[in-house]
Amino acid sequence: MAGRIKADDIALVKERSSIEDVVREHVTLRPAGPGSMKGLCPFHDEKTPSFNIRPAVGAWHCFGCGEGGDVISFVQKVEHLTFAEAVERLAQKLGMELTYEQGGRPRDGESLGRRSRLVEAHRVAQEFYAHALLNTPEARAGRDFLRARGFDGKAAERFGVGFAPRGGEELSRHLRSKGFSDEELTLAGLSGRGSRGLYDRFRGRLVWPIRDITGDTVGFGARRLFDDDRIAAKYLNTSETPIYKKSNVLYGLDAAKKAIAAERKAVVVEGYTDVMACHLAGIEGAVATCGTAFGIDHIKVLRRIMRDEADLAPARVIFTFDGDAAGQKAAMRAFGEDQRWASQSFVAVAEQGMDPCDLRLAKGDAAVRHLVEDAVPMFEFAVRTTINRFDLSTAEGRVQGMRAAAPIVASIRDTSMRPEYTRTVAGWIGVEVEQVQAEVARAGRMAAREAKGEGPRQGAQHRADTEVVPEPSAEELRSSFPAPDLRDPVVFAERQLLQCLLQFPTCYDAADVDAIAVESFSAPAHRAVFDGVRAAGGIQPALSAKAWADKVAEAAPLAVRGLVSELAVAPLPTRFDKATGLPERRYTRALLVRVQEVALTRRIADAMSAMRRMAADPHTDPARARALSGELQELQRELAALRDKVD
């Protein structure tokens, strides 16, 4: 049996190992008060950092999950090692020679723990493959493959790319000569065992070393090169081993983690050559999965490095996908996990569906950088992908598209963005904003019920695939109003104007009310309340405030009568004139102008959009274009005059 590590050596390893340096290999840290640092815990999922270290003390503790200890226990837990293996790993990094009790040093080949032995076997294998690529005639097919994709010898050396000889036993013989046992080679996934003994796992293939976050090679990805390869799969990857779990390993992360931490931005691509192309083009935060879909554990790894914390400015994660059906499916899978990020997610799809490697080869490094810079929000990609399944030139298609997109809008974490996204989606589909608002509200209610277990989860986007949903009637839209989102400053201004109209009608006259178009109100519920004001006969100074509010409530749609009552008593966030007891005139006029301004600005945007479409259409009637230009100028003059009323 191997001897125990001497206590003095263990104490020396703890003393010399910087817990800050060790933890930083797995977690991005930031100051957390005198002598402390914090980051996202690597042992449980969290949005706000509760993992703390004190470098001077050499200790760590997570206030979220309760785990804690010293540098050795951290390495044990994060790398799944025994106590002795953790000490040996730290000593190896320090260049320390450990001594053992009960017989001195362990037997040859056992001076390192099992994990370290398997990592060392992979290091030797990577060197063997890399040498074979650059120095053997049969590896020419591999060199040609790389050259055809724009990678020279220096690029191959930078990323450790190699070639697995075709014979099938060369690597196994080489590793045996270095003192590795047959059991270690099969356990590492480098060799297989057949009737005639060991054989190489990878044969006649181009191989990429897959490294863990600390830079240790823990597996390989191998691409088919020869037509007579008996294994038809284009790519083979190391099977899961004690040191390789594909669900939490990302290719290129060891090289990308510094850039990801510094920029708080990660780029997730689909293949090994895409990672190479991105890094060579200057996108040094690029990583890829290894033979599996991007999943929850991958998210956890990136979140820790990029400090994806709820109390910081949003980080950015950008996914690049091929433009084909498989790429779209992968993107929608990624969108399904979007709620697990505090960061903002984006999607980059190149023209003609080229991946970053093909794009770099065809158009150069700058094109790859532009691809990443021009990425669109994940939300936009998900909605457009969803509604593109429907024929939006028909009423049925628009209704189906609207109902399929509504759950996506309802799922947006930042609720302050939903009103704008709702307006945007309505424009893409070609329906009224109120229709989308109603569908989003309905989708939100359904999601809430499903979360409580009140019904099976069936997203509206799935129902739209199997049934034709009739367009909601005007009566349905009138009878169900989504609650106004008061985090939207425009909606909040509308509410205050309605409060003034109901509580202090003498602040305005009939001309003021007549100047307000019903369409000026963006929230459907507010629009319905203003309909009640109009239906009640407009401002009536002779009535008391209570009688006036009651009259408006009677005239308003039944669904908003409760809101009328609320607005008639809700306090206004402003100062009042001590002499009159009324809100200050500047405040009441500003509210009036603000609501009118929004409607006018919307009309100007519509006119400008129409002019842009005309400019792009060679068949545009010049007279119509001149008329629209004059209309636009008149609207802009109205807007300027309106703003002067407040100044």
Side-chain angles (χ1 to χ4, degrees):
M1 296 290 291
R4 292 193 308 172
I5 304 170
K6 286 189 175 181
D8 289 346
D9 280 4
I10 294 172
L12 195 58
V13 166
K14 287 177 62 175
E15 179 185 335
R16 291 184 178 178
S17 296
S18 164
I19 192 168
E20 180 180 346
D21 291 344
V22 171
V23 170
R24 279 191 186 277
E25 291 184 338
H26 302 271
V27 179
T28 298
L29 299 169
R30 60 182 170 118
S36 295
M37 308 192 82
K38 67 179 179 180
L40 293 174
C41 180
F43 308 122
H44 80 285
D45 201 13
E46 61 180 359
K47 292 290 179 70
T48 302
S50 55
F51 178 88
N52 286 251
I53 69 166
R54 291 185 64 82
V57 181
W60 63 276
H61 183 81
C62 177
F63 293 94
C65 64
E67 295 284 351
D70 57 19
V71 67
I72 297 174
S73 68
F74 179 83
V75 173
Q76 274 187 267
K77 189 167 179 64
V78 80
E79 298 191 21
H80 308 289
L81 305 178
T82 65
F83 177 83
E85 287 174 334
V87 174
E88 289 167 345
R89 181 154 175 74
L90 289 169
Q92 186 181 26
K93 288 187 175 184
L94 293 169
M96 278 182 58
E97 187 74 24
L98 296 174
T99 53
Y100 296 77
E101 297 174 350
Q102 301 177 5
R105 289 176 56 87
R107 297 188 302 272
D108 288 343
E110 293 183 354
S111 59
L112 300 174
R114 184 180 72 170
R115 183 188 190 283
S116 296
R117 287 288 294 170
L118 299 185
V119 168
E120 178 64 11
H122 276 83
R123 185 192 67 78
V124 175
Q126 191 272 318
E127 290 181 349
F128 174 84
Y129 287 144
H131 180 270
L133 175 66
L134 299 179
N135 296 280
T136 61
E138 68 171 346
R140 179 173 180 175
R143 296 192 292 270
D144 289 345
F145 175 91
L146 292 172
R147 194 176 300 111
R149 283 155 181 77
F151 305 121
D152 57 16
K154 288 184 178 179
E157 185 176 354
R158 172 175 171 178
F159 294 95
V161 187
F163 175 77
R166 304 190 72 184
E169 297 179 359
E170 289 91 334
L171 177 66
S172 298
R173 285 198 300 266
H174 179 71
L175 290 173
R176 278 170 165 167
S177 73
K178 297 295 183 180
F180 294 98
S181 68
D182 289 5
E183 180 185 0
E184 287 174 330
L185 299 189
T186 55
L187 187 62
L190 295 169
S191 302
R193 192 185 299 276
S195 59
R196 294 187 297 176
L198 292 188
Y199 61 86
D200 294 348
R201 163 72 170 155
F202 305 115
R203 302 180 295 279
R205 289 183 173 240
L206 200 62
V207 292
W208 284 264
I210 299 171
R211 300 184 175 107
D212 66 13
I213 195 170
T214 67
D216 286 336
T217 300
V218 294
F220 291 94
R223 194 196 190 281
R224 189 173 191 261
L225 292 173
F226 300 100
D227 293 338
D228 60 353
D229 192 328
R230 289 184 297 173
I231 300 176
K234 181 184 290 187
Y235 282 96
L236 287 178
N237 292 282
T238 297
S239 301
E240 298 224 336
T241 70
I243 63 171
Y244 175 69
K245 307 295 180 188
K246 63 183 179 181
S247 63
N248 54 28
V249 172
L250 288 165
Y251 176 72
L253 184 60
D254 59 305
K257 65 181 181 181
K258 183 176 180 180
I260 292 173
E263 300 174 14
R264 299 189 63 231
K265 180 177 76 174
V267 179
V268 181
V269 299
E270 294 195 292
Y272 306 128
T273 56
D274 293 332
V275 171
M276 294 174 68
C278 284
H279 281 248
L280 293 173
I283 309 297
E284 296 184 348
V287 296
T289 57
C290 304
T292 186
F294 188 82
I296 297 171
D297 290 332
H298 298 126
I299 293 174
K300 292 178 181 178
V301 170
L302 287 182
R303 289 191 64 237
R304 292 198 302 270
I305 298 172
M306 66 199 304
R307 288 191 296 140
D308 182 35
E309 302 167 15
D311 58 345
L312 295 179
R316 288 166 59 96
V317 58
I318 300 163
F319 295 88
T320 69
F321 296 107
D322 294 343
D324 57 14
Q328 291 188 356
K329 185 176 180 181
M332 295 305 290
R333 237 188 345 256
F335 179 74
E337 301 295 344
D338 191 55
Q339 302 300 316
R340 297 182 183 275
W341 300 92
S343 64
Q344 295 176 335
S345 300
F346 296 79
V347 174
V349 178
E351 294 179 7
Q352 302 170 336
M354 288 189 289
D355 58 34
C357 180
D358 291 337
L359 184 63
R360 176 175 178 265
L361 191 62
K363 300 185 178 181
D365 291 346
V368 178
R369 292 193 294 271
H370 291 154
L371 171 67
V372 173
E373 291 166 2
D374 296 340
V376 300
M378 176 73 80
F379 157 80
E380 178 178 335
F381 184 85
V383 171
R384 288 192 179 275
T385 299
T386 297
I387 65 177
N388 283 345
R389 303 199 312 264
F390 306 101
D391 182 1
L392 301 182
S393 67
T394 68
E396 293 81 4
R398 288 193 293 273
V399 171
Q400 290 174 343
M402 176 176 64
R403 292 195 166 178
I408 299 176
V409 181
S411 70
I412 296 170
R413 288 190 307 270
D414 188 349
T415 55
S416 66
M417 296 298 294
R418 286 183 195 166
E420 182 58 34
Y421 282 141
T422 298
R423 287 190 281 271
T424 300
V425 171
W428 290 341
I429 298 174
V431 295
E432 293 293 330
V433 174
E434 291 79 9
Q435 289 178 272
V436 179
Q437 286 174 329
E439 284 301 329
V440 170
R442 184 180 302 174
R445 290 193 297 270
M446 288 184 64
R449 286 198 298 269
E450 289 161 358
K452 294 177 182 177
E454 296 177 7
R457 184 157 185 82
Q458 280 185 300
Q461 65 269 39
H462 302 301
R463 293 198 310 275
D465 289 335
T466 59
E467 63 177 283
V468 175
V469 184
E471 186 169 6
S473 68
E475 185 61 30
E476 280 185 304
L477 290 175
R478 281 196 299 270
S479 64
S480 178
F481 296 99
D485 187 348
L486 301 183
R487 285 166 292 197
D488 184 329
V490 172
V491 176
F492 190 47
E494 295 172 5
R495 175 185 171 89
Q496 293 173 77
L497 176 60
L498 291 173
Q499 286 177 257
C500 289
L501 287 171
L502 290 169
Q503 297 178 33
F504 306 100
T506 56
C507 289
Y508 302 101
D509 55 32
D512 291 331
V513 176
D514 290 341
I516 305 173
V518 174
E519 294 76 17
S520 299
F521 293 88
S522 59
H526 289 168
R527 187 177 297 184
V529 171
F530 188 69
D531 273 336
V533 172
R534 284 277 184 84
I539 296 295
Q540 298 182 26
L543 294 177
S544 67
K546 182 180 183 307
W548 165 239
D550 288 343
K551 188 171 183 180
V552 172
E554 290 176 6
L558 182 62
V560 295
R561 288 183 183 176
L563 179 58
V564 172
S565 300
E566 176 190 334
L567 295 172
V569 297
L572 281 164
T574 187
R575 292 180 296 182
F576 289 78
D577 188 294
K578 293 181 179 179
T580 64
L582 299 174
E584 293 182 344
R585 177 173 173 77
R586 181 175 178 81
Y587 169 75
T588 59
R589 305 313 296 179
L591 290 177
L592 183 66
V593 168
R594 176 60 173 151
V595 172
Q596 291 176 302
E597 179 184 35
V598 170
L600 201 52
T601 301
R602 193 178 302 130
R603 289 176 61 193
I604 290 172
D606 290 343
M608 292 180 69
S609 176
M611 287 194 66
R612 284 193 293 270
R613 291 195 298 273
M614 284 184 174
D617 184 357
H619 303 295
T620 296
D621 179 3
R624 172 62 185 138
R626 286 193 297 272
L628 185 58
S629 177
E631 180 184 334
L632 177 60
Q633 292 175 11
E634 180 59 31
L635 289 171
Q636 289 171 332
R637 282 193 291 269
E638 286 183 35
L639 181 61
L642 184 65
R643 288 171 173 167
D644 287 342
K645 291 182 179 180
V646 180
D647 298 335

